[in-house]
């Protein structure tokens, strides 16, 4: 029982990060109809920025802020500098360009900073929080959960309650009509990319300290799992990303705890296959998946 | 549309292929083969495959740099038998397919005399047959797998590391001797490293001597579930068959749970300076106080070999961080230089192998080398080290394989002679 | 060497007006002979590289057909190659135990590889036929990621990270005095590859290829005109997988081993790089792509080694530079040169031939090649069928 509680808590904390990253993928998908395979690599660049800033100033919080800014800046640069050139005719040119971008960013980081893992410290107490005598969370895990939930709530508010959110949604779903109504669709697209990349950078920044340390490949698995989450939840659905994230986080944690860590990727694959066969557009797909 | 274009493309392919063949053949005439590949009047060329890039590269790329630095030192001091050693290191990214390509390139294009210290079990396994079929000496493989010690099947291949079975047995023996009533558990990598280490530990502790055995895979950098399970099982001593990064993860994750058991790690994941790199300068001394591991190479702050290697590191390796990998890399260089020196005035592949099999090599370890006609293992024993106040050193307890079982023995460190350059 | 040399080539063989399947066969025989002749000009290491290129070519040819013709983007072809490699190694080891060796063992093992890769491809294809674009890409991505896990969970069969080793196939006795083992391996790889690719090319230009294009162009329209879209997709995926599996088997034959570490996500992406820079849908492009992904890292490695850089700089550059170049190529080719190398060459060398030359200019290569025969209406499907039979 203790064991189960513990695994559930761990899975929840990890799942929150997956959900956040998956949400960033959903944002881009909704705005640009592109699965951004470069999201992980872009986020890791922003995390390097945060690492540098924290190293220079000694402040974790300045690093966190700079990661968000850097993430937005990278989103801007990628949208304006690269993705604009994706030919519209071919359905997967966006995916292929994004994959090219992953290669460019990761190898550039490798050339500049080398392959070694750089430890990232966090300003939190290492002592665990006990519930009923069972250590469930470290304070950092709690911080991760709170931040993830807060950011998701803020995004929900942004999209449903503000004029900017309305414009973002409008230009994603009906670009021509929105343009006629005076929405600057192109600018909305760029804002969507910036927002998404910033969220992804935050997720990466939250995850890296729990792993070996920062290196150019730090977000490889995060991307794969978050992508699974987004597909499981439905690429069109932000609530799907949230719930999918928690489901995948819990599945990985429970499978690792009870069956062994080697089985985890297989479990994720099985989950993906089952969901896709039952609902090819993801659990929360409102309608049949569009032709990508 | 594309079907109309296809023949054009094929024509293009013919053109391109012919052009390629011409250019390639033009520059492909192999050099005049000497009697012994890789040996000229004033050089000996050897090669290695190492993970310099890719996710698995972290923590290993410093080994070959240290070996190169040692060879630079030897070459600046006249070389071995008047020949300087050229060390060609090729990156394989820890990918067996790439290993096969770069090793062929070393053997066929660069015509190396021998392959030295190829790193990694899966990577080196993929070229084991190739090297032995082509009669290329395959020296001092950087992995503790027992595969390298099969003189009948692989006469060209020699190991260096104490193998994982011996390490597992020695550490389990130490745990049982020091803490007879403690609950002993084990965290291991889910490959041969973990499996052989577990095998060794169980020969000492019995099949049910380990209260919990958890495995992790390198692709998943989250060991919270495993550490949680070990804590729940009431483990007091944790044996680790982990690489450095995962040793740090295990120790760090346990600390986050408020759990501070005794850690006893394989030498592959027990290098203190490397662990500090992962855990950070401030936390590491607290978390790793009492951390126990093994080593078989010269070691510790006052050791004369270490002092020499430190000087070489400063002068020839641009003062790179000095850690266990540095000592390991330079010891590899020393051992090869010694074998080359003993292989005679005009070394051949046969004389090199004979020199190693003769049993006359001394190396620089804390125990005599085990090499012989029927023995291709280098070290069959290990010394126990611990960390105290941020300093890792031998504690004077040494275990070695005696027949079938691991027993405590007297260490016999090889003293440094002269300038650390082997004489014929 | 310019384009017109090719028809001359064909006329030398007394078949200046060959069309359809005979033409394909003649072309493939000629190319195979050229390649085999070429092995005499190469030293052992380059023959090894040639064998590897041939193995990669099998995989890229299958992938380019899948992506270019049916529009199914697979990021998992490395796993399918691995399936072929493991099928080959397991059959080879079983044959060795049963006392079979030499050519018989090779052929039996190759069949093993085809069966395993075919089954894997069929299963994946069944799932894939229901999925679109990013969902399929995601599924195939998860398959590659799960490969090492599968080999280590079933380590009794696949031997985990270390993979399987197989017995060595030397040069057959009657050739032993003539050629080195690397040249022999290159011959085998070239022969097997040419058979595989010829089959693919035959499919591509025949009825099957037409149906694939139809499904890609507009699935609904294709269904309406009686093309069983689901079956076409599954068939394409299975053939593509078999082709990749043969590539994996050849790699296993050349290197006598197969292990999960060789078939990573990075390798899968490299195959994608090959087909994109070669030109999606083009078999010739797949060949060029295979050449580029094998030779470019080696050229860059040789170049950086020649620069005599400081050790730590060289260490950082090694490996990373070729990935950087591949990434840039992928972006630039997709954005400004969507036909890839093949498209660009095709544009530069318009050939006066058949109906194409009859006044109609060769369409610009940057139109998405496969979608053209069937664009929006069902009528164009029926148009393109007679076109095909005319040839």
């Amino acid at each position: 029982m203790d064991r189960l509680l513990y695994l559930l808590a761990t899975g929840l904390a990890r799942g929150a990060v997956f959900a956040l990253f998956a949400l960033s993928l959903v944002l881009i998908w909704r705005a640009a109809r592109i699965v951004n395979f470069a999201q992980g690599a872009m986020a890791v660049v922003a995390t390097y920025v945060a690492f540098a800033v924290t190293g220079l100033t000694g402040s974790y919080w300045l690093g966190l802020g700079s990661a968000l800014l850097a993430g937005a800046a990278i989103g801007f640069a990628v949208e304006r500098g690269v993705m604009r050139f994706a030919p519209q005719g071919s359905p997967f040119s966006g995916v292929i360009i994004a994959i090219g971008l992953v290669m460019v960013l990761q190898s550039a980081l490798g050339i500049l900073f080398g392959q070694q893992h750089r430890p990232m410290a966090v300003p939190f107490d290492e002592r665990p929080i006990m519930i009923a005598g069972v250590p469930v969370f470290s304070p950092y895990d709690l911080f991760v959960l709170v931040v993830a939930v807060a950011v998701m709530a803020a995004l929900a508010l942004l999209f449903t309650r503000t004029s900017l959110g309305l414009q973002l949604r409008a230009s994603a779903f009906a670009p021509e009509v929105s343009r006629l109504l005076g929405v600057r669709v192109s600018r909305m697209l760029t804002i969507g990319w910036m927002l998404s990349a910033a969220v992804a950078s935050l997720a990466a920044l939250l995850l890296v300290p729990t792993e070996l340390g920062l290196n150019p490949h730090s977000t490889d698995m995060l991307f794969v799992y978050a992508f699974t989450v987004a597909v499981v939840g439905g690429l069109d659905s932000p609530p799907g990303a949230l719930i999918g994230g928690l489901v995948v986080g819990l599945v990985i944690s429970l499978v690792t705890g009870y069956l062994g860590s080697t089985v985890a990727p297989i479990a994720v694959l099985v989950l993906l296959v089952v969901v896709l066969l039952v609902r090819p557009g993801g659990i929360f797909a409102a309608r049949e998946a569009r032709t990508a | 549309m594309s079907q109309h274009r296809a023949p054009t493309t094929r024509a293009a392919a013919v053109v391109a292929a012919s052009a390629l063949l011409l250019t390639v053949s033009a520059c492909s005439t192999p050099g005049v083969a000497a009697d012994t590949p890789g040996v000229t009047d004033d050089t000996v060329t050897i090669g290695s495959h190492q993970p310099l890039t890719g996710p698995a590269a972290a923590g290993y790329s410093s080994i070959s740099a240290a070996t190169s630095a040692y060879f630079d030192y030897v070459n600046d001091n006249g070389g071995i038998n008047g020949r300087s050693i050229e060390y060609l290191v090729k990156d394989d990214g820890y990918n067996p397919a790439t290993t096969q390509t770069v090793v062929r390139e070393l053997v066929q294009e660069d015509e190396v005399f021998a392959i030295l210290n190829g790193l990694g079990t899966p990577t080196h396994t993929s070229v084991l047959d190739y090297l032995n079929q082509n009669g290329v000496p395959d020296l001092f493989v950087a992995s503790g797998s027992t595969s390298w010690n099969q003189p009948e099947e692989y006469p060209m291949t020699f190991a260096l590391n104490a193998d994982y079975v011996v390490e597992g047995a020695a550490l389990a023996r130490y745990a049982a001797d020091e803490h007879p009533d403690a609950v002993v558990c084990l965290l291991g990598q889910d490959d041969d490293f973990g499996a052989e280490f577990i095998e060794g530990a169980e020969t000492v502790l019995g099949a049910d001597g380990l209260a919990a055995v958890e495995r992790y895979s390198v692709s998943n950098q989250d060991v919270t579930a495993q550490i949680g399970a070990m804590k729940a099982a009431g483990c007091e001593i944790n044996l680790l068959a982990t690489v450095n990064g995962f040793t740090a993860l295990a120790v760090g994750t346990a600390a986050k749970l408020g759990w501070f058991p005794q850690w006893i790690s394989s030498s592959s994941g027990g290098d203190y300076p490397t662990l500090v790199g992962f855990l950070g300068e401030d936390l590491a001394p607290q978390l790793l106080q009492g951390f126990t591991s093994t080593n078989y190479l010269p070691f510790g702050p006052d050791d004369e070999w270490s002092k020499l290697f430190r000087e070489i590191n400063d002068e020839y390796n641009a003062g790179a961080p000095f850690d266990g990998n540095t000592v390991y890399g330079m010891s590899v260089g020393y051992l090869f230089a010694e074998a080359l020196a003993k292989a005679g005035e005009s070394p051949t592949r046969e004389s090199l192998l004979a020199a190693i099999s003769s049993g006359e090599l001394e190396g620089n370890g804390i125990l005599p080398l085990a090499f012989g006609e029927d023995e291709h293992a280098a070290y069959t024993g290990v010394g126990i080290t611990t960390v105290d106040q941020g300093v890792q050193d031998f504690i004077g307890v040494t275990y070695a394989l005696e027949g079938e079982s691991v027993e405590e023995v007297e260490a016999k460190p090889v003293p440094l002679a002269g300038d650390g350059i082997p004489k014929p | 060497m310019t384009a017109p040399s090719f028809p001359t080539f064909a006329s030398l063989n007394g078949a200046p007006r060959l069309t359809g399947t005979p033409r394909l066969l003649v072309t493939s025989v000629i190319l195979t002979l050229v390649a085999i002749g070429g092995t005499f000009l190469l030293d052992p290491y380059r023959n090894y590289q040639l064998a590897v290129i041939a193995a990669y070519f099998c995989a890229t040819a299958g992938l380019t057909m899948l992506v270019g013709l049916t529009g199914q983007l697979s990021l998992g072809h490395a796993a399918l190659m691995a399936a072929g490699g493991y099928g080959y190694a397991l059959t080879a080891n079983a044959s060795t135990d049963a006392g079979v060796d030499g050519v018989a063992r090779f052929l039996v093992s190759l069949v093993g590889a085809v069966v395993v890769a075919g089954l894997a491809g069929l299963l994946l294809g069944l799932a894939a036929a229901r999925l679109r674009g990013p969902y399929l890409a995601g599924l195939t991505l998860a398959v590659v990621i799960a490969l090492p896990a599968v080999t280590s969970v079933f380590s009794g069969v696949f031997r985990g990270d270390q993979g399987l080793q197989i017995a060595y196939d030397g040069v057959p006795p009657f050739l032993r005095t003539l050629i080195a083992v690397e040249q022999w391996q290159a011959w085998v790889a070239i022969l097997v590859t040419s058979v595989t690719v010829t089959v693919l090319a035959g499919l591509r230009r025949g009825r099957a290829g037409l149906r694939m294009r139809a499904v890609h162009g507009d699935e609904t329209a294709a269904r309406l005109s009686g093309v069983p879209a689901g079956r076409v997709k599954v068939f394409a995926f299975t053939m593509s997988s078999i082709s990749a599996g043969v590539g994996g088997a050849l790699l296993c034959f050349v290197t006598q081993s197969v292990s999960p570490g060789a078939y990573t996500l990075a390798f899968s992406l490299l195959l994608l790089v090959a087909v994109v820079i070669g030109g999606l849908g083009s078999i010739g492009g797949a060949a060029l792509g295979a050449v580029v992904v094998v030779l470019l890292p080696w050229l860059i490695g040789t170049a950086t080694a020649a620069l005599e850089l400081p050790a730590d700089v060289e260490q950082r550059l090694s490996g990373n530079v070729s990935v950087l170049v591949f990434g840039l190529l992928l972006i630039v080719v997709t954005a400004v040169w969507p036909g890839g190398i093949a498209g660009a060459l095709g544009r530069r060398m318009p050939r006066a031939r058949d109906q194409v030359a009859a006044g109609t200019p060769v369409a610009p290569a940057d139109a998405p090649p496969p979608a053209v025969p069937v664009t929006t209406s069902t009528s164009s499907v029926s148009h393109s069928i007679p076109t095909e039979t005319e040839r």
Side-chain angles (χ1 to χ4, degrees):
Chain A
M1 193 56 210
D2 287 3
R3 179 96 194 273
L4 183 63
L5 187 66
Y6 170 76
L7 290 174
L8 290 178
T10 308
L12 215 57
R14 187 52 69 94
V17 177
F18 292 160
L20 201 57
F21 198 93
L23 188 65
S24 78
L25 291 174
V26 169
L27 286 178
I28 288 194
W29 172 253
R30 280 162 61 112
R33 293 283 136 185
I34 284 178
V35 172
N36 184 20
F37 276 74
Q39 195 88 331
M42 287 159 62
V44 93
V45 173
T47 314
Y48 267 95
V49 172
F51 180 79
V53 170
T54 304
L56 285 175
T57 63
S59 159
Y60 174 78
W61 305 104
L62 279 178
L64 194 139
S66 59
L68 291 175
L69 290 179
I74 296 163
F76 178 84
V78 167
E79 201 273 325
R80 288 285 165 104
V82 186
M83 288 298 172
R84 287 259 156 130
F85 298 104
Q88 296 302 313
S90 162
F92 28 65
S93 57
V95 171
I96 293 175
I97 287 187
I99 289 173
L101 203 56
V102 174
M103 298 170 119
V104 170
L105 292 178
Q106 286 187 339
S107 55
L109 285 175
I111 291 171
L112 291 175
F113 302 105
Q115 298 288 339
Q116 61 268 49
H117 291 94
R118 294 162 188 277
M120 286 191 76
V122 285
F124 288 94
D125 200 352
E126 288 289 333
R127 268 169 304 175
I129 295 165
M130 313 284 276
I131 296 176
V134 184
V136 278
F137 279 137
S138 70
Y140 182 69
D141 289 336
L142 197 64
F143 169 71
V144 169
L145 258 179
V146 169
V147 169
V149 170
V151 169
M152 283 186 265
L155 285 172
L157 282 178
L158 172 73
F159 275 93
T160 54
R161 297 269 186 261
T162 67
S163 155
L164 177 64
L166 187 65
Q167 293 185 47
L168 281 168
R169 282 190 294 155
S171 42
F173 281 103
E176 291 308 318
V177 178
S178 308
R179 196 168 286 129
L180 289 175
L181 292 172
V183 176
R184 302 173 78 170
V185 172
S186 162
R187 176 182 287 182
M188 289 304 128
L189 185 61
T190 309
I191 291 178
W193 271 87
M194 292 169 69
L195 201 59
S196 161
V199 171
S201 306
L202 177 65
L205 189 71
L206 291 175
L207 179 81
V208 170
T210 65
E211 301 206 320
L212 271 180
L214 182 60
N215 103 339
H217 294 272
S218 286
T219 52
D220 285 9
M221 291 312 282
L222 175 64
F223 173 77
V224 172
Y225 286 140
F227 184 61
T228 309
V229 166
V231 169
V232 165
L235 274 171
D236 263 318
S237 161
L242 174 62
I243 296 175
L246 298 182
V247 168
V248 170
L250 289 176
V251 164
I252 290 177
S253 173
L254 292 175
V255 168
T256 305
Y258 289 111
L259 297 177
S261 86
T262 318
V263 189
I266 302 179
V268 170
L269 176 64
V270 169
L271 178 74
L272 190 63
V273 169
V274 169
V275 169
L276 286 180
L277 288 185
V278 178
R279 296 208 51 153
I283 295 175
F284 289 86
R287 58 196 168 282
E288 192 181 336
R290 297 179 176 200
T291 307
Chain B
M1 185 44 50
S2 52
Q3 76 212 73
H4 294 314
R5 209 167 54 227
T8 324
T9 323
R10 234 172 279 133
V14 178
V15 176
S18 329
L20 180 80
L21 288 180
L22 289 176
T23 36
V24 164
S25 61
C27 62
S28 72
T29 323
V32 183
D35 292 341
T36 298
V39 180
T40 66
D41 286 343
D42 45 16
T43 58
V44 172
T45 307
I46 54 175
S48 184
H49 64 88
Q50 301 280 332
L52 305 182
T53 59
Y60 292 126
S61 52
S62 54
I63 293 180
S64 51
T67 313
S68 297
Y70 175 79
F71 286 145
D72 288 345
Y73 168 72
V74 170
N75 295 345
D76 275 3
N77 289 281
I80 303 291
N81 285 329
R83 291 186 183 83
S84 60
I85 300 172
E86 308 283 333
Y87 189 44
L88 305 177
V89 179
K90 301 263 181 190
D91 176 26
D92 66 8
Y94 212 72
N95 177 335
T98 318
T99 312
Q100 285 163 340
T101 302
V102 297
V103 166
R104 277 175 168 80
E105 194 180 352
L106 285 169
V107 171
Q108 290 166 354
E109 295 289 285
D110 302 318
E111 301 188 341
V112 294
F113 180 49
I115 296 291
L116 177 67
N117 200 230
L119 191 145
T121 306
T123 46
H124 199 75
T125 302
S126 72
V127 290
L128 195 53
D129 281 311
Y130 174 77
L131 291 173
N132 279 274
Q133 277 152 14
N134 288 278
V136 182
D138 174 22
L139 307 182
F140 319 140
V141 182
S143 139
S145 166
T146 47
S147 306
W148 324 131
N149 182 16
Q150 301 181 64
E152 294 280 315
E153 203 174 338
Y154 298 114
M156 298 289 148
T157 302
F158 291 83
L160 179 68
N161 301 23
D163 71 58
Y164 301 132
V165 179
V166 167
E167 267 203 302
L171 287 172
R173 170 77 64 206
Y174 175 74
D177 289 352
E178 289 290 306
H179 313 276
D181 300 319
V183 180
V184 183
C185 301
L186 191 148
L187 175 67
Q189 195 159 303
D190 64 347
D191 57 11
D192 282 23
F193 173 24
E196 291 184 357
F197 190 92
I198 292 172
E199 184 192 325
E202 286 185 340
T203 57
V204 172
L205 300 172
D208 51 359
L210 292 166
V213 177
E214 292 288 325
R215 309 290 289 268
Y216 71 89
S217 61
V218 187
S219 59
N220 186 352
Q221 294 179 9
D222 182 5
V223 293
T224 337
Q226 291 91 327
I227 297 299
M230 292 167 80
K231 182 163 189 275
C235 305
E236 293 165 301
I237 295 182
N238 291 335
L239 300 177
L240 294 175
T242 49
V243 291
N244 283 313
F246 279 84
T247 307
L249 267 184
V251 173
T253 308
K256 281 184 192 148
L257 298 175
W259 188 38
F260 302 93
Q262 170 70 51
W263 300 100
I264 299 189
S265 164
S266 144
S267 61
S268 306
D271 181 46
Y272 183 73
T274 310
L275 293 174
V276 172
F278 281 110
L279 290 167
E281 296 279 349
D282 41 347
L283 271 181
Q286 303 161 347
L287 292 181
L288 295 173
Q289 176 65 24
F291 179 85
T292 302
S293 184
T294 71
N295 208 333
Y296 39 84
L297 293 174
F299 194 68
D302 305 321
D303 181 84
E304 49 190 352
W305 285 99
S306 296
K307 279 181 188 153
L308 172 72
F309 289 161
R310 222 176 256 278
E311 285 165 20
I312 298 175
N313 188 54
D314 288 339
E315 192 174 342
Y316 293 92
N317 202 14
F322 187 84
D323 57 20
N325 281 344
T326 319
V327 175
Y328 182 90
M330 294 202 185
S331 301
V332 166
Y334 178 82
L335 190 56
F336 176 76
E338 192 185 357
L340 187 62
K342 292 228 170 17
E345 280 293 327
S346 31
T348 62
R349 284 174 167 175
E350 292 71 28
S351 75
L352 181 70
L353 294 179
I356 302 171
S357 299
S358 70
E360 286 172 18
L361 294 193
E362 291 188 326
N364 62 348
I366 60 160
L367 285 164
L369 285 165
F371 289 136
E373 285 298 333
D374 306 319
E375 182 68 47
H376 283 194
Y379 293 102
T380 55
V382 292
I384 303 290
T385 66
T386 62
V387 175
D388 187 26
Q389 310 291 335
V391 178
Q392 192 174 27
D393 201 358
F394 286 114
I395 57 168
V397 181
T398 308
Y399 294 93
L401 198 63
E402 300 271 318
E404 289 295 299
S405 68
V406 168
E407 303 297 342
E408 186 164 352
V409 296
E410 197 66 29
K412 298 190 192 78
V414 180
L416 173 66
D419 51 5
I421 296 176
K423 300 287 174 288
Chain C
M1 270 235 212
T2 48
S5 67
F6 187 63
T8 329
F9 216 169
S11 54
L12 280 180
N13 288 265
R17 287 229 153 260
L18 275 182
T19 51
T21 311
R23 185 192 169 88
L24 174 67
L25 290 178
V26 168
T27 316
S28 102
V29 168
I30 292 170
L31 285 177
T32 310
L33 290 178
V34 168
I36 287 190
T39 61
F40 285 100
L41 301 175
L42 303 180
D43 64 33
Y45 177 63
R46 293 202 167 84
N47 270 320
Y48 165 78
Q49 283 183 323
L50 187 60
V52 173
I53 289 173
Y56 281 21
F57 181 28
C58 279
T60 53
L63 185 61
T64 204
M65 189 185 78
L66 186 71
V67 185
L69 263 59
T70 68
Q72 292 175 287
L73 179 61
S74 163
L75 303 182
H77 263 53
L80 297 171
M81 281 183 90
Y86 276 102
Y88 182 90
L90 289 170
T91 321
N93 285 341
S95 313
T96 312
D97 292 344
V100 181
D101 62 2
V103 178
R105 180 173 61 194
F106 173 76
L107 291 176
V108 171
S109 311
L110 200 57
V111 172
V114 167
V115 170
V116 173
L119 281 177
L122 179 65
L123 287 176
L124 205 53
L126 283 173
R130 296 170 52 92
L131 302 175
R132 287 157 192 276
Y135 292 94
L136 174 59
L139 178 67
T140 49
L141 180 72
V143 170
V144 188
I145 297 290
L147 175 72
V150 171
T151 60
S152 83
V153 168
F154 302 102
S155 61
V157 184
F158 302 119
R159 304 260 295 105
D161 278 354
Q162 286 210 37
L164 297 169
Q165 276 69 44
I166 61 169
Y168 167 76
D169 271 312
V171 186
F174 64 97
L175 285 172
R176 208 156 279 171
T177 49
L178 289 177
I179 58 175
V181 65
E182 285 80 7
Q183 193 172 355
W184 166 245
Q185 288 173 338
W187 284 16
V188 172
I190 289 166
L191 280 174
V192 172
T193 303
S194 87
V195 171
T196 312
V197 174
T198 305
V199 170
L200 282 185
L203 285 175
R204 184 174 168 282
R205 61 189 299 143
R207 202 174 163 71
L210 197 62
R211 289 173 153 203
M212 291 177 198
R213 278 168 240 250
V215 169
H216 184 204
D218 186 331
E219 195 167 328
T220 318
R223 276 182 212 276
L224 284 175
S225 41
V227 176
R231 238 187 294 164
V232 168
K233 281 178 158 185
V234 174
F235 175 73
F237 209 109
T238 311
M239 289 314 292
S240 173
S241 170
I242 288 177
S243 181
V246 170
L250 287 176
L251 279 185
C252 181
F253 163 74
V254 171
T255 62
Q256 292 115 51
S257 68
V258 54
S259 59
Y263 297 102
T264 55
L265 180 59
F267 180 62
S268 234
L269 297 184
L270 201 60
L271 293 176
L272 189 68
V273 172
V275 301
V276 170
I277 60 182
L280 279 176
S282 151
I283 298 231
L288 293 175
V291 171
V292 170
V293 297
V294 173
L295 292 190
L296 193 64
W298 168 72
L299 285 174
I300 290 175
T302 312
T304 44
L307 286 180
E308 302 273 342
L309 298 162
D312 58 329
V313 176
E314 197 180 323
Q315 211 168 72
R316 283 182 178 181
L317 291 182
S318 148
N320 284 325
V321 175
S322 55
V323 178
L324 187 72
V325 171
F326 282 136
L328 287 174
L329 274 175
L330 206 52
I331 296 174
V332 170
V333 167
T334 311
V336 300
W337 221 23
I341 303 178
L345 288 176
R347 214 171 351 172
R348 217 158 284 162
M349 305 192 287
R351 291 183 53 262
R353 184 194 150 248
D354 301 349
Q355 306 90 334
V356 187
T360 346
V362 178
D366 29 350
V372 174
V374 211
T375 42
T376 44
S377 71
T378 46
S379 61
S380 54
V381 175
S382 44
H383 275 163
S384 42
I385 290 169
T387 319
E388 182 67 14
T389 41
E390 273 165 34
R391 309 173 72 214

